[in-house]
Structure formats: C-alpha cells, structure tokens
Amino acid sequence: PAPAPAATLTRAPAGIIHGDLNLSNFFFSRCEASGAVSLSVFDWDQTHRHLWEYELAQSALGCLMLAEGGALPDGTTPVPQANPTQMLAWLAEGYEEVRGPGSVNRARLTRMLQLKKTFYARFCARAAAEGEMPADMAWFIAYVNKWMAAHPPGGGE
C-alpha cells in the first residue's frame, strides 16, 4: 500500500529532551534559611530532539534494568519491587496530568523502552569488545552485558 499523504499524517509530540534522565543525574538541595527545596539536573551531553516518549522511556530504563537484571552493581540480588509496567504507567499518568489525557501513546512508549534497551545492549557489547573502558564504567558495562545475555532486546530469551 502507498504511504498516507503527508497532509494526513499527525506528528508525534517531540522536542528537546535531556536524553539521560535517571536518578544519578538529579541533585536535590534544601536552602537552610528558607527551607525551600531545589532540583538540579545535570549531565546534558545526550541532549537532542526526539519524541517525548523517548525521554519517559529513559526514565523507566533503570526500573527495567532492576526487574530483569537484578540489583546493581552485579545483578546477583533480585529486585522484586521493580515493576517496569507500573513505572511506565506512572510516568504516562504524570505526563498526562500536565499535557492532557491521551497525550502519551502507550504502545509507542513501550517500543521506546525497548529501543533504549537495544541501545544499551549494543553500546555495552561494543565497549566490552573494544576493551580499555574507563574503570568507573567497567562494572556498569559488565552488568548490562550480563543483563542482556539473560534478557536480550526483543524478548529473544
């Protein structure tokens, strides 16, 4: 079948995203004088234009890692509380509280999470194959490679 005319296609909501939202890139601080809490977000080297769901998927990736790969740093301890399905639902609900009901395409969000997993699988496999990785990243690359061996992207277990 021929593709739909461009005029009938709808654009998915996209914009500038951080690209690496995870707990290690947040810092909360409290002002001693006023008690006000502020949030700092850092590590902006992966900032780019993408679908909003891609940012939400990045935020859920840690939960998926824990659910499938076990506790960091070595994955030997299961994390039964990690529920990526629930995490995606919470992220979508929070986003929709601001952007409106139906503003998150949940099927696309699930695909974006699998895309992030595939990216991490390929990145870490290549880093291990090339060797000479930074010492502070070696444990993480080993963890991801162990996770992917047990739970490959695409569900090919």
Side-chain angles (χ1 to χ4, degrees):
T8 64
L9 296 176
T10 58
R11 290 188 146 261
I16 302 299
I17 65 170
H18 180 274
D20 192 20
L21 281 183
N22 65 70
L23 292 176
S24 69
N25 289 333
F26 294 114
F27 180 75
F28 293 92
S29 59
R30 182 179 305 274
C31 175
E32 289 185 29
S34 69
V37 176
S38 64
L39 167 67
S40 298
V41 180
F42 49 95
D43 192 11
W44 292 86
D45 64 312
Q46 294 184 39
T47 301
H48 58 286
R49 181 175 171 73
H50 213 298
L51 300 173
W52 298 125
E53 284 103 348
Y54 198 67
E55 190 81 285
L56 297 177
Q58 174 62 39
S59 298
L61 185 65
C63 186
L64 181 64
M65 282 182 179
L66 294 173
E68 293 182 351
L72 299 169
D74 60 6
T76 58
T77 305
V79 184
Q81 305 89 341
N83 182 337
T85 302
Q86 182 64 63
M87 181 70 166
L88 287 174
W90 285 335
L91 288 166
E93 289 167 14
Y95 184 85
E96 288 180 336
E97 283 182 19
V98 175
R99 301 288 292 187
S103 57
V104 174
N105 180 316
R106 283 166 170 73
R108 185 170 47 226
L109 177 57
T110 300
R111 287 192 308 272
M112 291 289 142
L113 181 58
Q114 291 306 310
L115 183 61
K116 292 300 293 188
K117 181 178 177 180
T118 300
F119 167 78
Y120 273 73
R122 291 181 179 176
F123 176 85
C124 291
R126 183 171 178 171
E130 290 177 357
E132 296 197 31
M133 61 196 89
D136 63 337
M137 288 297 297
W139 70 268
F140 180 74
I141 291 167
Y143 170 88
V144 170
N145 286 331
K146 181 179 175 183
W147 167 34
M148 294 304 157
H151 301 276
E157 299 173 33

